[in-house]
Amino acid sequence: MVKNNHFKDNRRQLDRLLRSAPLPADGSRMAELIGYAHTLTRLENTVVVISDMQRGESRIIAGGFGVTLGLTGYDSEDSIWEQRILELMLPEERENKFIAELRFFHFVRHLPKHRKSDYYLECILRFILEDGSNINVMHKMYYVYDDENENVMYAVCQYSPIVSDLKCKSRCVNSLTGETIDLASTDNDGILSGRECRVLSLINDGMKSAEIAERLHISIHTVSRHRQEILSKLKVRNSIEACRLAMVMGLISQ
């Protein structure tokens, strides 16, 4: 039950991150992506999910691999999350997927605008087939930005059977240079500042704002500002969620 709650928390956080900016409708862009997805599924038998951040819905285009996964007839979702595909994953894999996507979001968020589209996410996930057997699946995720390369308009996810070894569980790939970054081994610089991590660590230890202010020799007002910044950057609702997520991401120690 605890793991399931963690999964739901991470899903809510990503939902708030990705859908935070209102965007104009762009039917031509969606049509272009659907055409791309149909071509890709014909060539690679893959499964492609296109999530529309403004409308909060997804289109699923499944090639032959979709039949293997039992996704026949699954072509849309009233959510930016592909629920039937998520249900095929082992519980810990759902958690791993959302943590990887949260790390990726923060990684590209700090890139210059002209470089954001250069990167995509790669993860290995384990799925459970109808006969109870497991299969390793390569999950790739791409963000499609608005014309200013500022806000995410669509997320395009691709699911395919593993065809090569990937030594790390998730990584960020530069599609121009082939550069790869193991997201699990990054130090998360840029997500929270050193002082914010320190404040959150003390919150996790059970200290109140006045005690934190005294310990760090800062004002209570400054502690309150750090608290708000932490919640905003992690896109969580309260300090409990912030501490839990920060521990999972290695921002603070358990």
Side-chain angles (χ1 to χ4, degrees):
M1 180 63 70
V2 173
K3 277 189 173 292
N4 190 48
N5 287 338
H6 289 181
F7 157 70
K8 290 179 179 178
D9 287 344
N10 287 325
R11 177 167 163 166
R12 281 195 295 266
Q13 289 151 19
L14 272 170
D15 199 287
R16 285 194 291 269
L17 281 165
L18 292 170
R19 302 193 63 197
S20 60
L23 299 167
D26 189 347
S28 62
R29 184 70 65 86
M30 173 59 93
E32 178 184 335
L33 291 173
I34 290 174
Y36 159 78
H38 278 293
T39 299
L40 192 61
T41 56
R42 285 195 298 269
L43 291 174
E44 297 189 13
N45 279 320
T46 189
V47 176
V48 178
V49 179
I50 306 170
S51 298
D52 186 324
M53 299 306 158
Q54 183 198 24
R55 293 183 174 85
E57 60 189 28
S58 299
R59 291 288 303 274
I60 296 90
I61 298 92
F65 187 51
V67 177
T68 301
L69 296 177
L71 297 176
T72 303
Y74 180 49
D75 59 11
S76 64
E77 188 82 62
D78 292 329
S79 165
I80 64 172
W81 309 110
E82 51 272 32
Q83 189 60 39
R84 275 186 60 185
I85 295 177
L86 292 174
E87 290 170 355
L88 293 172
M89 300 176 194
L90 296 171
E92 61 269 25
E93 296 294 79
R94 290 197 294 267
E95 177 80 3
N96 292 338
K97 175 182 184 292
F98 284 105
I99 289 295
E101 291 181 0
L102 189 60
R103 287 180 184 274
F104 178 71
F105 179 90
H106 281 290
F107 173 82
V108 296
R109 181 169 68 93
H110 295 285
L111 292 175
K113 291 181 181 180
H114 68 280
R115 292 190 59 202
K116 288 184 177 182
S117 297
D118 293 346
Y119 288 88
Y120 64 89
L121 173 68
E122 251 185 15
C123 301
I124 291 178
L125 302 169
R126 284 180 297 161
F127 282 31
I128 306 173
L129 300 180
E130 290 182 340
D131 62 5
S133 62
N134 292 350
I135 183 173
N136 287 330
V137 175
M138 175 65 76
H139 167 238
K140 294 182 179 181
M141 185 184 72
Y142 308 81
Y143 286 153
V144 179
Y145 295 90
D146 58 15
D147 291 337
E148 300 299 322
N149 237 28
E150 186 70 39
N151 299 307
V152 179
M153 295 178 65
Y154 303 97
V156 179
C157 290
Q158 179 183 352
Y159 296 91
S160 309
I162 292 291
V163 294
S164 61
D165 291 334
L166 180 61
K167 294 181 180 179
C168 53
K169 289 291 290 182
S170 61
R171 65 185 181 183
C172 181
V173 181
N174 186 315
S175 59
L176 294 179
T177 66
E179 171 197 7
T180 62
I181 299 169
D182 181 355
L183 291 176
S185 65
T186 58
D187 56 12
N188 296 306
D189 284 348
I191 297 179
L192 296 180
S193 69
R195 177 52 63 91
E196 288 163 350
C197 287
R198 179 62 174 149
V199 168
L200 189 56
S201 180
L202 294 175
I203 292 172
N204 191 50
D205 289 341
M207 295 181 67
K208 305 297 184 184
S209 291
E211 296 171 314
I212 295 172
E214 182 177 358
R215 172 72 66 85
L216 299 181
H217 306 292
I218 57 179
S219 69
I220 293 181
H221 173 75
T222 300
V223 174
S224 297
R225 180 166 53 81
H226 284 317
R227 281 178 174 270
Q228 290 304 313
E229 283 294 311
I230 290 167
L231 298 185
S232 176
K233 289 180 178 180
L234 295 182
K235 297 298 180 184
V236 294
R237 295 169 297 181
N238 53 55
S239 296
I240 294 175
E241 287 186 6
C243 290
R244 190 203 63 77
L245 179 60
M247 285 189 289
V248 171
M249 298 184 73
L251 295 170
I252 62 175
S253 58
Q254 299 189 28

